[in-house]
Amino acid sequence: MKTETSAVNIDRSKGDFFYPEAHVRDAGAGLSERTVRYISDVKEDPDWVREFRLRGLKTFLEKPLPTHWASKDLEAIDFDKIRYYLSPGTETKRSWEEVPDDIKRTFERLGIPEQERKFLAGVEAQFDSEAVYSNIKKAVGEQGVIFVGSTEGLKNYPEIFRKWFGKVIPIADNKFSALNSAVFSGGSFIYVPPGVKVKHPLQAYFRINAENFGQFERTLIIADEGSEVTYMEGCTAPKFNTPTLHSAVVELVALKGAKIQYITVQNWASNVFNLVTKRGLAQENAEVKWIDCNIGSRLTMKYPSVIMKGRKARGEVLSIALANDGQHQDTGAKMIHAADETTSNIISKSISIGKGRATYRGLVHVPKHLKNCKNNTECDALLINSTSRTDTYPAITVRGTGNAVQHEASVSQVSAEQIFYMQQRGLSEAQAMSLSVNGFVNDLVRQFPMEYSVELKRLIELEMEGSVG
Amino acid sequence: MPVPRLSRCLWRPMRFCLSLLARVQAANWTLGLYHGVGRNPPAPRSSDTKRARDSREPNRSQICRSDVYLLFAFMNELNIENLHIAVNGQEIVRGLTLRVPRGEVHALMGPNGSGKSTLAKVLAGHPDYQVTAGRVLMDGENLLELEPDERARRGLFLAFQYPSEIPGVTIANFLRAALQSRVPEGEELEATDYYAKLYEKMELLGMDRSFTSRAVNEGFSGGEKKRAEILQLAMLEPKYAVLDETDSGLDIDALKTVAHGVNSLRGPDLGILLITHYQRLLNYIVPDYVHVMVGGRIVRSGRKELALELEERGYDWAREGAVEPAFR
């Protein structure tokens, strides 16, 4: 069997293209108070947001890079060369016809308008810093569901927005949440009124088109009592020669008995630094579920979290990471139990190809005074080549007597015998690899909505194509 | 291995001609015209007198019935010529010659370490073994030049002694992918036809339908694994099947089911090389010919009765017949 790897020439053709820039608003390269004020001026921020941004900047500058525990590769980010705000200078449109032609072409190539017609209840499309399109199906809007960009959210719905904004993830949570707080732009604001169950998913699509650019979207989703909503995000960027930064903050609030499902399928180009903070708050009997698929990027650091604050709250993270040559997927989950009878579940599957590295970091916290809390953690790693690497860093603190925790971890390798067996049935080496990998993630993918599991399988096949000699 | 475009173009019409020849051959087979053409050469004997006494020797007088058939035979058999195989520099198979025409079942028996399983793996193209001399032709085509998956798609099937588990991949999906790899690019396998065929074959093998949604070999009992191998054989419809110790680890009921499955697949289009340790399996799958392998080569060949004699007399007896000592 060929053991040497050449995980190159991966077909990212679907996302790897860009049109010439035509930005009207440009904050220029580098980050200073001037940059932040420019963004505030352009966006006509209210005073409390201006102040929020400046506090974010101060915290960002004070905090060191977390290289003492995370990858040293973070030092490759040159914060002075990044452009922090770029926008076409037009309002967010409600119909595709009004979206400027070159931007519309981009999203049409990515198939977004088509998907909207097929199975989505609402779509937002962000191009670099700003949402260029945002629309919600009439029937859903009539139920009182709000689905707009974050800028519009803070302006038009301040009473709901301000109450929760920055509460689940404070400015100083980490260096990158502070950076996002300083320069955030775009992202979604969603509010689902009590008892409303949004049947079809709402989707946001984040697209980076410009070089030397940082995308800092900010998403806030509030599901009021007894409501249900599914949100999906997709991300792509063309492959530029210089690193691109994507640093989002996503806050979810599930009030009593509400359910939020947040699905991410990202397929970043291989020089994107993807440093994202995602956290959900689950009140009594509420449920927050993260489905997270990380493909591509140079370095991803992302640990979706759930704080179970009310009795019987539930948290769940299902995550798949695929690390190809030159990529490091540093992903995991955090489950903070803060009430009795709360339950959490983490299932993480990672695949390392070539010299790719997948890291699982998990935090499960159950304090002493709680009763009948349960956590189940499964983390499985699959190594494709002998040069592939996987690390697991679970941190589990469970105190008290009435709580149960279960942790299972496995590392497996696609064996030469297994590939030979499949080849003997007629599959090529690449097909055999791809089928093995799909089998490895299969039980997890089955829990995804149809449209995303199909997309994910296709992405995995594309990734595997270049991975065998 | 990338196939050059030109040879691919030539291959199509050539294969068409070969399939025509195959049909003529099949007709001959059914009409009983063809007996022992291109039969395996006699195993090396210590003396010619012994050979003359050996009534189990195939009737060689019919070879000259028609030389024309020789051509067909060449095109319709798995032809192993003077094969030498080494693993890590040590020679395991040492000059093995064997012909398995389509439509016949050949049993290959031998003690542990005689090289039977090594032969099976080399035929399928396992990368851990080196062929140091000899050649293998499948319907006249040099098998050893092909990648394992190409050999499979051109009609070679190996039922593994120890089939691999493929976690998370169901039997239904696996077989579908395997069949899909055999249809031209751009064409899709018809799902309803596929499932109809799958269920039919499963019934034949006494397999429950729930089997299709189980991951390939994962958590299977020994009997289930072997039945799953035969199911794949039935679905993929190869020209030649090598069954490596298909009887090992089976209780008598499972053995009967597997044998029933194999017997139902016997016919003019399939040549079977049945590798086994024990005579027991041959009570249920009655071979046309039996070969005894000792020390990396065939020391005796004969009709099915040879297996019984071997059972009675043991491998030492078979070894005595070899021209040179099997183990030096």
Short mmCIF file of all heavy atoms in Angstrom, two decimals, chain A residues 301-352:
data_model
loop_
_atom_site.label_atom_id
_atom_site.label_comp_id
_atom_site.label_asym_id
_atom_site.label_seq_id
_atom_site.Cartn_x
_atom_site.Cartn_y
_atom_site.Cartn_z
N MET A 301 -9.66 27.29 16.18
CA MET A 301 -9.78 27.09 17.63
C MET A 301 -11.22 27.42 17.98
O MET A 301 -11.65 28.56 17.87
CB MET A 301 -8.82 28.02 18.38
CG MET A 301 -7.36 27.58 18.24
SD MET A 301 -6.20 28.76 18.97
CE MET A 301 -6.66 28.66 20.68
N LYS A 302 -11.94 26.40 18.35
CA LYS A 302 -13.38 26.60 18.58
C LYS A 302 -13.90 25.54 19.54
O LYS A 302 -13.74 24.35 19.30
CB LYS A 302 -14.10 26.49 17.24
CG LYS A 302 -15.54 26.96 17.30
CD LYS A 302 -16.36 26.35 16.21
CE LYS A 302 -16.03 26.81 14.83
NZ LYS A 302 -16.77 26.05 13.82
N TYR A 303 -14.50 25.99 20.62
CA TYR A 303 -15.01 25.07 21.64
C TYR A 303 -16.44 25.48 22.01
O TYR A 303 -16.64 26.19 23.00
CB TYR A 303 -14.10 25.11 22.88
CG TYR A 303 -12.63 25.23 22.50
CD1 TYR A 303 -11.99 26.47 22.52
CD2 TYR A 303 -11.93 24.11 22.06
CE1 TYR A 303 -10.67 26.59 22.12
CE2 TYR A 303 -10.61 24.23 21.65
CZ TYR A 303 -9.98 25.48 21.67
OH TYR A 303 -8.68 25.60 21.25
N PRO A 304 -17.41 25.10 21.22
CA PRO A 304 -18.79 25.49 21.53
C PRO A 304 -19.15 25.06 22.95
O PRO A 304 -18.81 23.96 23.38
CB PRO A 304 -19.62 24.72 20.50
CG PRO A 304 -18.67 24.41 19.40
CD PRO A 304 -17.34 24.23 20.04
N SER A 305 -19.80 25.94 23.67
CA SER A 305 -20.09 25.69 25.08
C SER A 305 -21.57 25.84 25.38
O SER A 305 -22.29 26.53 24.67
CB SER A 305 -19.35 26.71 25.96
OG SER A 305 -18.08 26.96 25.45
N VAL A 306 -21.99 25.16 26.44
CA VAL A 306 -23.35 25.35 26.92
C VAL A 306 -23.28 25.54 28.44
O VAL A 306 -22.65 24.75 29.14
CB VAL A 306 -24.26 24.15 26.60
CG1 VAL A 306 -25.70 24.44 27.04
CG2 VAL A 306 -24.23 23.81 25.11
N ILE A 307 -23.92 26.61 28.90
CA ILE A 307 -24.07 26.80 30.34
C ILE A 307 -25.50 26.39 30.68
O ILE A 307 -26.46 27.00 30.20
CB ILE A 307 -23.84 28.27 30.73
CG1 ILE A 307 -22.42 28.69 30.32
CG2 ILE A 307 -24.04 28.47 32.23
CD1 ILE A 307 -22.20 30.17 30.34
N MET A 308 -25.62 25.33 31.48
CA MET A 308 -26.96 24.85 31.83
C MET A 308 -27.34 25.47 33.16
O MET A 308 -26.94 25.02 34.22
CB MET A 308 -26.96 23.33 31.89
CG MET A 308 -26.92 22.70 30.51
SD MET A 308 -26.02 21.14 30.47
CE MET A 308 -24.35 21.70 30.37
N LYS A 309 -28.12 26.55 33.04
CA LYS A 309 -28.35 27.39 34.21
C LYS A 309 -29.65 27.04 34.92
O LYS A 309 -29.82 27.34 36.10
CB LYS A 309 -28.40 28.85 33.74
CG LYS A 309 -27.90 29.80 34.81
CD LYS A 309 -27.97 31.23 34.34
CE LYS A 309 -27.87 32.17 35.52
NZ LYS A 309 -28.72 33.34 35.36
N GLY A 310 -30.59 26.43 34.20
CA GLY A 310 -31.87 26.10 34.82
C GLY A 310 -32.01 24.59 35.01
O GLY A 310 -31.33 23.81 34.34
N ARG A 311 -32.89 24.20 35.93
CA ARG A 311 -33.11 22.78 36.19
C ARG A 311 -33.46 22.04 34.90
O ARG A 311 -34.19 22.55 34.06
CB ARG A 311 -34.27 22.65 37.19
CG ARG A 311 -33.95 21.76 38.38
CD ARG A 311 -35.14 21.70 39.33
NE ARG A 311 -35.77 20.38 39.28
CZ ARG A 311 -36.94 20.14 38.72
NH1 ARG A 311 -37.63 21.11 38.15
NH2 ARG A 311 -37.42 18.92 38.73
N LYS A 312 -32.94 20.84 34.78
CA LYS A 312 -33.26 19.97 33.64
C LYS A 312 -32.85 20.55 32.28
O LYS A 312 -33.39 20.14 31.25
CB LYS A 312 -34.74 19.61 33.61
CG LYS A 312 -35.14 18.68 34.73
CD LYS A 312 -36.52 18.13 34.50
CE LYS A 312 -36.80 17.00 35.49
NZ LYS A 312 -38.16 16.52 35.41
N ALA A 313 -31.96 21.50 32.29
CA ALA A 313 -31.47 22.02 31.01
C ALA A 313 -30.56 20.97 30.36
O ALA A 313 -29.98 20.14 31.05
CB ALA A 313 -30.70 23.31 31.23
N ARG A 314 -30.50 21.02 29.02
CA ARG A 314 -29.69 20.05 28.30
C ARG A 314 -28.72 20.75 27.34
O ARG A 314 -29.08 21.73 26.70
CB ARG A 314 -30.59 19.11 27.49
CG ARG A 314 -31.48 18.22 28.34
CD ARG A 314 -32.40 17.35 27.48
NE ARG A 314 -33.26 18.13 26.60
CZ ARG A 314 -34.38 18.75 26.96
NH1 ARG A 314 -34.78 18.72 28.24
NH2 ARG A 314 -35.11 19.41 26.09
N GLY A 315 -27.54 20.22 27.26
CA GLY A 315 -26.55 20.77 26.33
C GLY A 315 -25.97 19.65 25.50
O GLY A 315 -25.78 18.54 25.98
N GLU A 316 -25.72 19.93 24.24
CA GLU A 316 -25.17 18.89 23.38
C GLU A 316 -24.22 19.50 22.34
O GLU A 316 -24.51 20.55 21.77
CB GLU A 316 -26.31 18.16 22.66
CG GLU A 316 -25.84 16.92 21.94
CD GLU A 316 -26.99 15.96 21.58
OE1 GLU A 316 -28.15 16.35 21.68
OE2 GLU A 316 -26.67 14.82 21.21
N VAL A 317 -23.09 18.84 22.13
CA VAL A 317 -22.18 19.26 21.06
C VAL A 317 -21.84 18.03 20.24
O VAL A 317 -21.37 17.03 20.77
CB VAL A 317 -20.87 19.87 21.61
CG1 VAL A 317 -19.88 20.13 20.48
CG2 VAL A 317 -21.15 21.16 22.36
N LEU A 318 -22.15 18.09 18.95
CA LEU A 318 -21.74 17.03 18.03
C LEU A 318 -20.74 17.67 17.08
O LEU A 318 -21.06 18.63 16.39
CB LEU A 318 -22.93 16.51 17.22
CG LEU A 318 -24.18 16.08 18.00
CD1 LEU A 318 -25.27 15.64 17.03
CD2 LEU A 318 -23.84 14.95 18.96
N SER A 319 -19.53 17.16 17.08
CA SER A 319 -18.54 17.87 16.28
C SER A 319 -17.71 16.92 15.41
O SER A 319 -17.36 15.81 15.81
CB SER A 319 -17.69 18.72 17.22
OG SER A 319 -16.35 18.45 17.11
N ILE A 320 -17.46 17.38 14.21
CA ILE A 320 -16.61 16.63 13.28
C ILE A 320 -15.51 17.57 12.80
O ILE A 320 -15.79 18.69 12.39
CB ILE A 320 -17.42 16.15 12.05
CG1 ILE A 320 -18.41 15.07 12.48
CG2 ILE A 320 -16.49 15.60 10.97
CD1 ILE A 320 -19.34 14.63 11.37
N ALA A 321 -14.28 17.12 12.90
CA ALA A 321 -13.18 17.96 12.42
C ALA A 321 -12.33 17.14 11.46
O ALA A 321 -12.08 15.97 11.70
CB ALA A 321 -12.34 18.45 13.58
N LEU A 322 -11.93 17.76 10.38
CA LEU A 322 -11.09 17.08 9.41
C LEU A 322 -9.84 17.93 9.18
O LEU A 322 -9.92 19.04 8.68
CB LEU A 322 -11.89 16.90 8.12
CG LEU A 322 -11.42 15.80 7.17
CD1 LEU A 322 -12.61 15.29 6.37
CD2 LEU A 322 -10.36 16.27 6.25
N ALA A 323 -8.70 17.40 9.62
CA ALA A 323 -7.45 18.15 9.49
C ALA A 323 -6.61 17.57 8.37
O ALA A 323 -6.16 16.44 8.46
CB ALA A 323 -6.68 18.12 10.80
N ASN A 324 -6.42 18.34 7.33
CA ASN A 324 -5.61 17.88 6.22
C ASN A 324 -4.19 18.41 6.38
O ASN A 324 -3.89 19.09 7.35
CB ASN A 324 -6.23 18.39 4.91
CG ASN A 324 -6.10 17.37 3.81
OD1 ASN A 324 -5.06 16.72 3.67
ND2 ASN A 324 -7.14 17.21 3.02
N ASP A 325 -3.32 18.11 5.42
CA ASP A 325 -1.94 18.60 5.48
C ASP A 325 -1.89 20.09 5.80
O ASP A 325 -2.61 20.88 5.21
CB ASP A 325 -1.29 18.37 4.10
CG ASP A 325 -0.24 17.29 4.17
OD1 ASP A 325 -0.04 16.73 5.25
OD2 ASP A 325 0.37 17.03 3.13
N GLY A 326 -1.03 20.45 6.73
CA GLY A 326 -0.83 21.87 7.04
C GLY A 326 -1.96 22.49 7.83
O GLY A 326 -2.02 23.70 8.00
N GLN A 327 -2.88 21.68 8.32
CA GLN A 327 -4.01 22.23 9.06
C GLN A 327 -4.03 21.72 10.49
O GLN A 327 -3.60 20.61 10.77
CB GLN A 327 -5.34 21.84 8.38
CG GLN A 327 -5.44 22.39 6.98
CD GLN A 327 -6.72 21.94 6.28
OE1 GLN A 327 -7.43 21.08 6.78
NE2 GLN A 327 -6.99 22.52 5.15
N HIS A 328 -4.52 22.56 11.36
CA HIS A 328 -4.66 22.17 12.75
C HIS A 328 -6.09 22.50 13.20
O HIS A 328 -6.48 23.65 13.22
CB HIS A 328 -3.63 22.94 13.61
CG HIS A 328 -3.66 22.52 15.05
ND1 HIS A 328 -2.84 23.08 15.99
CD2 HIS A 328 -4.40 21.62 15.70
CE1 HIS A 328 -3.08 22.53 17.17
NE2 HIS A 328 -4.03 21.64 17.02
N GLN A 329 -6.83 21.45 13.51
CA GLN A 329 -8.19 21.65 14.01
C GLN A 329 -8.16 21.47 15.52
O GLN A 329 -8.02 20.36 16.02
CB GLN A 329 -9.16 20.62 13.40
CG GLN A 329 -9.23 20.61 11.88
CD GLN A 329 -10.01 21.77 11.30
OE1 GLN A 329 -10.46 22.66 12.03
NE2 GLN A 329 -10.17 21.80 9.99
N ASP A 330 -8.22 22.58 16.23
CA ASP A 330 -8.19 22.54 17.69
C ASP A 330 -9.61 22.82 18.14
O ASP A 330 -10.02 23.97 18.26
CB ASP A 330 -7.20 23.60 18.19
CG ASP A 330 -6.78 23.34 19.63
OD1 ASP A 330 -7.64 22.91 20.42
OD2 ASP A 330 -5.61 23.59 19.97
N THR A 331 -10.37 21.75 18.34
CA THR A 331 -11.79 21.93 18.60
C THR A 331 -12.21 21.12 19.82
O THR A 331 -11.44 20.34 20.33
CB THR A 331 -12.64 21.47 17.39
OG1 THR A 331 -12.36 20.09 17.18
CG2 THR A 331 -12.30 22.25 16.15
N GLY A 332 -13.41 21.30 20.25
CA GLY A 332 -13.89 20.56 21.39
C GLY A 332 -15.21 21.10 21.89
O GLY A 332 -16.04 21.52 21.08
N ALA A 333 -15.40 21.09 23.19
CA ALA A 333 -16.67 21.53 23.75
C ALA A 333 -16.49 21.85 25.22
O ALA A 333 -15.57 21.35 25.87
CB ALA A 333 -17.72 20.42 23.60
N LYS A 334 -17.36 22.71 25.72
CA LYS A 334 -17.36 22.98 27.15
C LYS A 334 -18.80 22.84 27.66
O LYS A 334 -19.72 23.40 27.07
CB LYS A 334 -16.89 24.41 27.43
CG LYS A 334 -15.45 24.68 27.09
CD LYS A 334 -15.11 26.11 27.49
CE LYS A 334 -13.85 26.57 26.82
NZ LYS A 334 -13.60 28.00 27.07
N MET A 335 -18.95 22.10 28.75
CA MET A 335 -20.27 21.91 29.34
C MET A 335 -20.20 22.37 30.79
O MET A 335 -19.53 21.74 31.62
CB MET A 335 -20.67 20.43 29.28
CG MET A 335 -20.94 19.95 27.88
SD MET A 335 -22.34 20.83 27.15
CE MET A 335 -22.39 20.11 25.52
N ILE A 336 -20.88 23.47 31.07
CA ILE A 336 -20.88 24.01 32.42
C ILE A 336 -22.24 23.72 33.05
O ILE A 336 -23.25 24.30 32.66
CB ILE A 336 -20.65 25.55 32.42
CG1 ILE A 336 -19.54 25.94 31.45
CG2 ILE A 336 -20.39 26.06 33.84
CD1 ILE A 336 -18.15 25.53 31.84
N HIS A 337 -22.25 22.79 34.01
CA HIS A 337 -23.51 22.47 34.70
C HIS A 337 -23.68 23.43 35.86
O HIS A 337 -22.80 23.56 36.70
CB HIS A 337 -23.46 21.03 35.22
CG HIS A 337 -23.46 20.01 34.12
ND1 HIS A 337 -24.57 19.28 33.80
CD2 HIS A 337 -22.49 19.62 33.25
CE1 HIS A 337 -24.27 18.45 32.79
NE2 HIS A 337 -23.01 18.66 32.44
N ALA A 338 -24.82 24.15 35.88
CA ALA A 338 -25.02 25.13 36.94
C ALA A 338 -26.39 24.97 37.58
O ALA A 338 -26.90 25.90 38.21
CB ALA A 338 -24.85 26.54 36.37
N ALA A 339 -27.02 23.82 37.40
CA ALA A 339 -28.31 23.56 38.04
C ALA A 339 -28.50 22.06 38.17
O ALA A 339 -27.82 21.28 37.48
CB ALA A 339 -29.44 24.17 37.22
N ASP A 340 -29.43 21.66 39.04
CA ASP A 340 -29.70 20.24 39.25
C ASP A 340 -30.29 19.60 37.99
O ASP A 340 -30.96 20.25 37.20
CB ASP A 340 -30.71 20.06 40.40
CG ASP A 340 -30.07 20.39 41.74
OD1 ASP A 340 -28.82 20.43 41.80
OD2 ASP A 340 -30.82 20.64 42.69
N GLU A 341 -30.06 18.29 37.90
CA GLU A 341 -30.69 17.47 36.85
C GLU A 341 -30.38 17.95 35.43
O GLU A 341 -31.18 17.78 34.52
CB GLU A 341 -32.21 17.39 37.05
CG GLU A 341 -32.61 16.68 38.33
CD GLU A 341 -34.11 16.74 38.56
OE1 GLU A 341 -34.84 16.14 37.76
OE2 GLU A 341 -34.53 17.41 39.52
N THR A 342 -29.26 18.60 35.28
CA THR A 342 -28.88 19.01 33.93
C THR A 342 -28.08 17.89 33.26
O THR A 342 -27.36 17.16 33.93
CB THR A 342 -28.02 20.28 33.97
OG1 THR A 342 -26.99 20.11 34.94
CG2 THR A 342 -28.84 21.49 34.35
N THR A 343 -28.26 17.76 31.96
CA THR A 343 -27.55 16.69 31.25
C THR A 343 -26.83 17.24 30.03
O THR A 343 -27.32 18.14 29.35
CB THR A 343 -28.52 15.60 30.75
OG1 THR A 343 -29.58 16.23 30.04
CG2 THR A 343 -29.08 14.78 31.88
N SER A 344 -25.66 16.72 29.78
CA SER A 344 -24.91 17.17 28.61
C SER A 344 -24.32 15.99 27.88
O SER A 344 -24.07 14.94 28.46
CB SER A 344 -23.82 18.14 29.03
OG SER A 344 -22.91 17.52 29.90
N ASN A 345 -24.09 16.18 26.62
CA ASN A 345 -23.59 15.12 25.76
C ASN A 345 -22.60 15.71 24.76
O ASN A 345 -22.89 16.70 24.11
CB ASN A 345 -24.78 14.48 25.02
CG ASN A 345 -24.37 13.27 24.21
OD1 ASN A 345 -23.42 12.58 24.55
ND2 ASN A 345 -25.05 13.04 23.10
N ILE A 346 -21.43 15.12 24.68
CA ILE A 346 -20.44 15.59 23.71
C ILE A 346 -20.03 14.39 22.86
O ILE A 346 -19.63 13.36 23.39
CB ILE A 346 -19.17 16.13 24.40
CG1 ILE A 346 -19.50 17.26 25.36
CG2 ILE A 346 -18.14 16.58 23.36
CD1 ILE A 346 -18.33 17.69 26.24
N ILE A 347 -20.16 14.53 21.56
CA ILE A 347 -19.61 13.50 20.68
C ILE A 347 -18.71 14.20 19.67
O ILE A 347 -19.15 15.08 18.94
CB ILE A 347 -20.71 12.72 19.94
CG1 ILE A 347 -21.64 12.06 20.95
CG2 ILE A 347 -20.07 11.65 19.06
CD1 ILE A 347 -22.80 11.33 20.32
N SER A 348 -17.45 13.84 19.71
CA SER A 348 -16.50 14.51 18.84
C SER A 348 -15.78 13.46 18.00
O SER A 348 -15.33 12.45 18.51
CB SER A 348 -15.50 15.27 19.70
OG SER A 348 -14.32 15.52 18.98
N LYS A 349 -15.70 13.72 16.70
CA LYS A 349 -14.97 12.80 15.83
C LYS A 349 -13.98 13.62 15.01
O LYS A 349 -14.37 14.62 14.40
CB LYS A 349 -15.92 12.09 14.87
CG LYS A 349 -16.99 11.30 15.58
CD LYS A 349 -17.16 9.95 14.96
CE LYS A 349 -18.19 9.14 15.73
NZ LYS A 349 -18.00 7.72 15.55
N SER A 350 -12.75 13.22 15.03
CA SER A 350 -11.78 13.96 14.22
C SER A 350 -11.04 13.01 13.29
O SER A 350 -10.85 11.84 13.59
CB SER A 350 -10.79 14.68 15.12
OG SER A 350 -9.93 13.75 15.73
N ILE A 351 -10.66 13.55 12.16
CA ILE A 351 -9.93 12.78 11.15
C ILE A 351 -8.67 13.56 10.80
O ILE A 351 -8.75 14.74 10.47
CB ILE A 351 -10.78 12.59 9.88
CG1 ILE A 351 -12.09 11.89 10.22
CG2 ILE A 351 -10.01 11.80 8.82
CD1 ILE A 351 -13.29 12.50 9.57
N SER A 352 -7.53 12.92 10.91
CA SER A 352 -6.28 13.59 10.53
C SER A 352 -5.72 12.91 9.28
O SER A 352 -5.58 11.70 9.24
CB SER A 352 -5.25 13.51 11.64
OG SER A 352 -5.83 13.88 12.87
#
